[in-house]
Amino acid sequence: MIFPIYLYGTPVLRKKAKDIDKDYENLDEFIKNMWETMYKTDGVGLAAPQVGKAIRLFVLDTEALSEDYPEGAGFKKVFINAHIIEEEGEEWSFNEGCLSVPNIREDVKRKTKLRMQYYDENWVAHDEVFEGIQARVMQHEYDHLEGILFTDRISPIRRKLIKGKLNAIAKGKAKVKYKTIISK
Ligand code: ZN
């Protein structure tokens, strides 16, 4: 099943997402649908709040970025109860986009490296360090769990320049090829 994508302006994108436990209802099915939705919408990552669930889960597959960023090859993962323990390294710019903020791309500065604790889809606990494009996509998806959007991380001047576009998205006026949900 392909989920509709919650767009900029919907309250769920601003919530701090919660951890889940192993009994979370229909988790396998939810993850399967997350994959289906991500691939259908040509995303490299998708976080649960983007489909209306304020839980700490996201999926990503950076294969599509591997031509420019070799470390992206074969990097496909489910993150459950994700928590960043530490971020370090120099900040670098990457032109980000988001299924919840369609037709906008902006350069965002983030640190190179991070350490994250999470569970995979088999409930195996991990504590790992990630770098480069892997860390970048994780940081973007992780922000969704904290109620943060990439447009929060650009300069005030840039934000002012795209304000009209953001308002249009919130009002459902953005042209999007996938099913979406806007705030009522
Ligand atoms: Zn996003």
Side-chain angles (χ1 to χ4, degrees), residues 88-105:
E88 61 171 47
E90 243 174 86
E91 292 199 328
W92 65 293
S93 261
F94 182 77
N95 198 246
E96 296 189 18
C98 181
L99 294 170
S100 296
V101 193
N103 311 326
I104 293 179
R105 297 200 74 93

Side-chain angles (χ1 to χ4, degrees), residues 25-167:
E25 217 177 317
N26 299 326
L27 184 60
D28 289 346
E29 170 115 29
F30 180 72
I31 291 169
K32 189 178 146 254
N33 292 336
M34 288 286 285
W35 285 127
E36 201 178 332
T37 305
M38 191 193 85
Y39 288 123
K40 196 75 189 176
T41 52
D42 291 325
V44 293
L46 183 66
Q50 295 183 275
V51 300
K53 298 265 183 251
I55 60 172
R56 300 189 79 81
L57 186 155
F58 61 84
V59 299
L60 58 81
D61 181 349
T62 56
E63 187 65 43
L65 302 169
S66 64
E67 208 171 294
D68 293 327
Y69 302 91
E71 72 275 20
F75 190 62
K76 176 182 170 176
K77 271 181 186 292
V78 179
F79 295 85
I80 300 170
N81 297 349
H83 292 276
I84 288 180
I85 305 304
E86 211 180 344
E87 281 180 291
E88 61 171 47
E90 243 174 86
E91 292 199 328
W92 65 293
S93 261
F94 182 77
N95 198 246
E96 296 189 18
C98 181
L99 294 170
S100 296
V101 193
N103 311 326
I104 293 179
R105 297 200 74 93
E106 291 288 331
D107 285 343
V108 180
K109 279 185 180 172
R110 298 184 192 269
K111 288 184 174 167
T112 331
K113 206 169 168 183
L114 65 84
R115 179 180 154 208
M116 189 180 275
Q117 289 179 350
Y118 66 98
Y119 292 87
D120 61 28
E121 64 273 39
N122 301 311
W123 287 99
V124 176
H126 298 267
D127 186 334
E128 292 168 23
V129 172
F130 299 89
E131 285 183 72
I133 204 68
Q134 298 186 354
R136 167 64 57 151
V137 177
M138 288 168 71
Q139 285 158 328
H140 176 110
E141 299 311 323
Y142 187 83
D143 268 353
H144 281 300
L145 311 185
E146 298 290 308
I148 299 166
L149 298 171
F150 79 100
T151 46
D152 301 338
R153 295 194 179 276
I154 61 178
S155 71
I157 296 163
R158 286 301 309 166
R159 205 155 47 234
K160 208 168 173 185
L161 284 169
I162 62 166
K163 205 173 174 220
K165 276 190 186 177
L166 290 173
N167 289 340

Side-chain angles (χ1 to χ4, degrees), residues 13-30:
L13 293 178
R14 294 309 190 177
K15 277 190 190 162
K16 190 170 160 79
K18 294 212 158 66
D19 283 338
I20 57 170
D21 54 40
K22 288 180 189 175
D23 304 328
Y24 189 83
E25 217 177 317
N26 299 326
L27 184 60
D28 289 346
E29 170 115 29
F30 180 72

